[in-house]
């Protein structure tokens, strides 16, 4: 039966491939999006589109075109339950945050999890194992992984290059959108030591005012001199929903000549990695607002950006400079506006270099002072800047608090950081770890003890020190009295600092497959009549944090 199904599928796929098979709606209800391709997200570009699922989980997900399931991943974070289909046209479609797979795939995945004795798993399949025709049900929508609510994350990838493709053009006839992008604000960014705007070398923020006819204006004159750049805070809108989306294309002109264009038709994961060079990172960290740069810093290698003179504007004549902006969404809706710069000669202040070290965008950057060593590898910073370091003693920690730079700064590569302990009284040295302090939040970075120092790795500059973690994770039963009635065991795994690094569960001494919900810090075991007989059973769960502090939970239950 399986062989006949495969033969029929091969014939069907061949016919449809020759006819350039179109994608179908993965659901049995009209398409509405909660997220679009290339949206700016924390530390990445959104790799696909998010389909709304009517605020519910468990909606049947159909294959948008014929192919075979080539990969399935299951985990508590990221895409949660995710399914990858490979198609004859050298594309891969990805379905993420699924509640579950269809029965055939679920049985296979479950068997593999028990075989590996691991909830988290990454499986690859051959073409003949799980082939499906367009419109067949392959899974059910959910909210697993790093999902903020029920929806389906969907991607299209180029199997030859690994590039991500914008799925919206494939669904454009199914999406209603007659609304142009909306401009919230712009910023004028004078280049340090080379430019000035309205008498200052600081960023100049101008909020947008939109008139009834849709035109955009700013209630302030811009007088500039020297080298400057622009950033823009803008969103796209769609019909029938209050969601906001990313802008597909930004075009900037100077006196009618193109100087910058970004167009998100496709990008690679390497492109996505450069997002912190494309946004004003300081503003994102401090105000949670995305301002997209319409100039290109030296360390920004995004391939979907084109520019003249890297998008910078040099104001060196006392005249009017017309800077035009054109924002276009995936359905072709356009917003245009013009910003006038008045060229006015002004003093350009020199950079403040007192107590600072110049970090260049090329070559390694090293810094050392009392109690600290920092090494950022070649290509680790997006642009040259003056680095500043301060330190202060705080007896609540096991090292001084070291401030690395005077504003939030993202790194393009992992940097090595070593901090000297001011108090070294632990027998188990693995319980020390570097932590990042930010707005009363503590983020564990870990590290390795070395002769009174802790060597670790960081991905951004900020405030760092050393703490100790000697407290084991906690395992807490949830609604234990209802386990039998619900035919499900629920436990909460929490840790005070370094985080739960590994856990395992057994029933009557045998591995038990618990599902982990990372967002809720919960693990679940659904009673399986094929593996669990009625009667009394012993449950044992162990959990260890990143410092190897161990917790063991023993209990008995009956159903």
């Amino acid at each position: 039966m399986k062989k006949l199904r495969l033969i029929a599928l091969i014939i069907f796929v061949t016919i449809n491939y020759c006819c350039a098979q179109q994608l179908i709606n993965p659901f049995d209800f009209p398409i509405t999006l909660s997220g679009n391709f290339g949206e700016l997200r924390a530390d990445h570009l959104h790799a696909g589109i998010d389909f709304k699922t009517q605020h519910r989980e468990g909606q049947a997900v159909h294959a948008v075109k014929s192919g075979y399931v080539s990969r399935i991943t299951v985990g508590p974070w990221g895409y949660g339950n995710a399914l990858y289909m490979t198609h004859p046209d050298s594309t891969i479609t990805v379905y993420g945050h699924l509640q579950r797979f269809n029965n055939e795939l679920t049985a296979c995945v479950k068997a593999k999890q028990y075989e590996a004795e691991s909830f988290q798993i990454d499986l690859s399949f051959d073409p003949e194992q799980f082939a499906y025709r367009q419109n067949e049900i392959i899974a059910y929508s959910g909210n697993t992984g790093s999902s903020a609510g029920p929806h389906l994350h969907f991607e299209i990838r180029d199997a030859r290059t690994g590039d991500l493709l914008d799925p919206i053009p494939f669904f454009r006839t199914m999406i209603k959108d007659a609304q142009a992008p909306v401009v919230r604000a712009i910023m004028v960014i004078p280049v340090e030591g080379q430019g000035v705007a309205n008498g200052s070398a600081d960023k100049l923020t101008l909020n947008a005012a939109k008139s009834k006819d849709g035109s955009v204006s700013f209630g302030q004159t811009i007088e500039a001199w020297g080298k400057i750049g622009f950033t823009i805070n803008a969103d796209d809108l769609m019909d029938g929903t209050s969601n906001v989306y990313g802008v597909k294309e930004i075009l900037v002109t100077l006196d009618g000549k193109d100087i910058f264009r970004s167009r998100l038709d496709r990008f690679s994961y390497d492109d996505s990695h450069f997002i912190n060079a494309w946004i004003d990172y300081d503003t994102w960290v401090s105000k949670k607002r995305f301002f997209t740069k319409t100039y290109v810093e030296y360390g920004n290698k995004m391939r979907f950006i084109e520019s003249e003179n890297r998008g910078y504007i040099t104001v060196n004549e006392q005249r009017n400079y017309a800077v035009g902006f054109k924002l276009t969404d995936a359905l072709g809706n356009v917003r245009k506006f013009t910003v006038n710069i008045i060229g006015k000669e002004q003093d350009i202040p020199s950079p403040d270099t007192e107590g600072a070290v110049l970090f260049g965008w090329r070559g390694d950057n090293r810094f050392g002072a009392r109690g600290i060593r920092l090494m950022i590898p070649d290509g680790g910073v997006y642009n040259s800047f003056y680095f500043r370091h301060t330190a202060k003693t705080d007896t609540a920690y096991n090292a001084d608090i070291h401030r690395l730079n005077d504003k939030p700064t993202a790194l393009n590569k992992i940097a090595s950081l070593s901090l000297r302990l001011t108090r070294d009284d632990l027998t188990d040295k693995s319980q020390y770890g570097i932590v990042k302090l930010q707005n009363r939040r503590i983020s564990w970075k870990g590290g390795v003890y070395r002769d009174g120092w802790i060597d670790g790795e960081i991905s951004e500059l900020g405030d760092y020190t050393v703490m100790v973690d000697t407290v084991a994770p906690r395992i807490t039963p949830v609604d234990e009295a209802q386990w039998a009635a619900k035919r499900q065991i629920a436990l909460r795994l929490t840790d005070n600092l370094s985080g739960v690094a590994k856990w395992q569960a057994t029933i009557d001494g045998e591995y038990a497959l618990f599902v982990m919900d990372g967002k809720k810090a919960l693990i679940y075991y659904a009673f399986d009549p094929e593996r669990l007989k009625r009667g009394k059973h012993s449950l044992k769960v162990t959990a260890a944090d990143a410092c190897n502090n161990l917790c063991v939970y023993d209990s008995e239950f009956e159903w």
Side-chain angles (χ1 to χ4, degrees):
M1 190 70 181
K2 183 78 174 178
K3 186 176 291 186
L4 290 174
R5 179 182 172 192
L6 179 60
I7 293 171
L9 176 61
I10 291 171
I11 296 172
F12 182 86
V13 167
T14 302
I15 293 172
N16 280 277
Y17 181 50
C18 294
C19 298
Q21 186 182 31
Q22 297 299 305
L23 273 61
I24 64 166
N25 181 352
F27 295 110
D28 297 320
F29 47 85
I31 287 176
T32 308
L33 302 183
S34 58
N36 70 341
F37 183 73
E39 267 184 17
L40 304 176
R41 302 284 178 90
D43 292 320
H44 69 285
L45 298 170
H46 191 225
I49 58 177
D50 291 338
F51 291 102
K52 290 189 177 185
T53 56
Q54 301 181 329
H55 308 289
R56 293 190 295 155
E57 297 184 45
Q59 302 278 25
V61 177
H62 302 264
V64 297
K65 59 181 174 179
S66 301
Y68 72 95
V69 176
S70 53
R71 184 186 180 197
I72 284 178
T73 59
V74 176
W77 303 107
Y79 290 169
N81 297 332
L83 182 151
Y84 299 68
M85 284 191 72
T86 296
H87 307 281
D89 61 356
S90 297
T91 62
I92 298 170
T93 52
V94 183
Y95 307 77
H97 306 307
L98 300 167
Q99 181 191 64
R100 65 190 191 279
F101 311 106
N102 68 19
N103 291 340
E104 180 181 41
L105 295 169
T106 294
C108 174
V109 171
K110 187 175 182 180
K112 293 293 186 181
Q113 288 173 310
Y114 268 100
E115 183 181 318
E117 296 191 355
S118 174
F119 159 68
Q120 194 162 335
I121 203 161
D122 188 338
L123 302 173
S124 298
F125 303 102
D126 295 327
E128 67 275 6
Q129 288 181 268
F130 298 108
Y132 292 97
R133 290 178 294 178
Q134 185 181 58
N135 205 37
E136 285 194 275
I137 295 175
I138 53 174
Y140 296 86
S141 67
N143 186 32
T144 56
S146 303
S147 168
H151 73 281
L152 173 69
H153 175 82
F154 177 81
E155 296 176 11
I156 301 177
R157 300 182 182 182
D158 185 332
R160 296 160 297 190
T161 65
D163 283 0
L164 298 143
L165 312 178
D166 186 359
I168 289 183
F170 298 92
F171 298 104
R172 63 180 305 124
T173 60
M174 308 175 207
I175 300 172
K176 295 181 180 179
D177 179 16
Q179 300 190 59
V182 175
V183 181
R184 312 290 186 188
I186 60 171
M187 283 198 298
V188 184
I189 312 289
V191 175
E192 187 175 28
Q194 300 180 57
V196 65
N198 288 3
S200 174
D202 296 333
K203 303 171 186 175
L204 174 63
T205 302
L206 304 174
N207 292 317
K210 183 180 174 183
S211 63
K212 291 182 179 180
D213 64 2
S215 61
V216 179
S217 61
F218 303 90
Q220 189 173 350
T221 300
I222 303 173
E223 296 179 342
W225 196 251
K227 191 175 181 179
I228 63 171
F230 278 89
T231 68
I232 183 168
N233 177 233
D235 298 309
D236 189 30
L237 305 174
M238 291 188 184
D239 296 349
T241 176
S242 60
N243 293 83
V244 294
Y245 310 88
V247 177
K248 184 180 184 71
E249 182 178 10
I250 302 174
L251 173 66
V252 182
T253 62
L254 176 61
D255 297 331
K257 181 181 178 182
D258 294 357
I259 61 169
F260 177 92
R261 183 195 298 271
S262 63
R263 182 172 175 84
L264 281 159
D265 288 317
R266 64 191 292 155
F267 63 84
S268 70
Y269 279 104
D270 287 338
D271 289 326
S272 185
H273 183 68
F274 293 111
I275 184 174
N276 292 325
W278 195 29
I279 63 170
D280 189 83
Y281 188 75
D282 184 15
T283 302
W284 160 243
V285 172
S286 60
K287 299 181 180 178
K288 297 305 177 189
R289 294 182 71 187
F290 281 121
F291 277 79
T292 305
K293 295 173 182 174
T294 63
Y295 57 92
V296 186
E297 293 193 313
Y298 292 109
N300 184 354
K301 307 298 183 183
M302 287 174 162
R303 295 176 301 161
F304 56 82
I305 294 178
E306 299 174 352
S307 66
E308 185 73 23
N309 297 322
R310 310 192 73 86
Y312 288 103
I313 298 168
T314 300
V315 181
N316 55 10
E317 298 178 44
Q318 299 198 67
R319 64 175 179 86
N320 183 70
Y321 293 76
V323 183
F325 293 81
K326 179 183 177 183
L327 311 182
T328 308
D329 68 17
L331 276 297
N333 301 298
V334 175
R335 175 78 62 197
K336 294 181 180 180
F337 64 96
T338 300
V339 176
N340 291 311
I341 301 173
I342 300 172
K344 181 179 179 180
E345 189 168 358
Q346 307 166 57
D347 291 335
I348 298 176
S350 299
D352 179 9
T353 61
E354 185 176 354
V357 177
L358 179 63
F359 277 12
W361 70 275
R362 282 181 174 172
D364 295 346
N365 289 288
R366 300 174 183 270
F367 175 80
R370 182 179 178 183
I372 180 174
R373 300 291 184 270
L374 173 67
M375 198 287 284
I376 304 174
D378 184 17
V381 300
Y382 296 115
N383 209 355
S384 301
F385 66 95
Y386 285 97
F387 170 84
R388 288 176 170 81
H389 165 262
T390 58
K392 66 177 181 180
T393 300
D394 190 325
T395 56
Y397 304 103
N398 286 63
D400 290 341
I401 299 175
H402 295 268
R403 173 158 292 178
L404 310 183
N405 213 26
D406 52 2
K407 65 179 181 180
T409 306
L411 301 176
N412 185 39
K413 292 184 179 180
I414 298 298
S416 299
L417 175 65
S418 299
L419 298 182
R420 186 172 185 82
L421 294 168
T422 55
R423 188 169 67 251
D424 184 2
D425 49 13
L426 285 182
T427 301
D428 185 352
K429 306 300 185 182
S430 69
Q431 295 175 329
Y432 290 117
I434 294 174
V435 296
K436 185 175 188 292
L437 309 178
Q438 184 176 342
N439 299 328
R440 299 183 179 179
R441 290 178 58 243
I442 299 174
S443 302
W444 182 269
K445 303 301 176 182
V448 177
Y449 180 87
R450 175 184 55 82
D451 193 25
W453 291 73
I454 304 299
D455 300 331
E457 296 180 333
I458 60 173
S459 60
E460 61 182 334
L461 303 182
D463 292 355
Y464 291 91
T465 186
V466 173
M467 293 183 68
V468 300
D469 186 357
T470 60
V471 180
R474 293 185 62 186
I475 303 173
T476 309
V478 178
D479 295 332
E480 187 174 6
Q482 298 297 313
W483 287 359
K486 293 182 177 180
R487 298 168 62 92
Q488 177 179 270
I489 297 171
L491 300 165
R492 190 177 305 278
L493 303 186
T494 56
D495 188 65
N496 70 316
L497 187 56
S498 62
V500 176
K502 54 186 177 181
W503 57 275
Q504 187 71 284
T506 61
I507 295 177
D508 301 330
E510 298 291 330
Y511 171 78
L513 177 58
F514 275 71
V515 172
M516 185 173 196
D517 184 336
K519 296 186 296 292
K520 298 179 181 179
L522 293 175
I523 59 172
Y524 303 92
Y525 174 80
F527 291 170
D528 183 351
E530 295 183 3
R531 296 178 179 270
L532 189 69
K533 296 179 179 180
R534 286 191 172 273
K536 289 186 177 181
H537 300 278
S538 61
L539 169 67
K540 182 177 182 178
V541 181
T542 60
D545 62 20
C547 291
N548 294 316
N549 297 301
L550 182 67
C551 175
V552 179
Y553 173 84
D554 288 294
S555 179
E556 291 190 348
F557 67 96
E558 183 175 1
W559 79 292

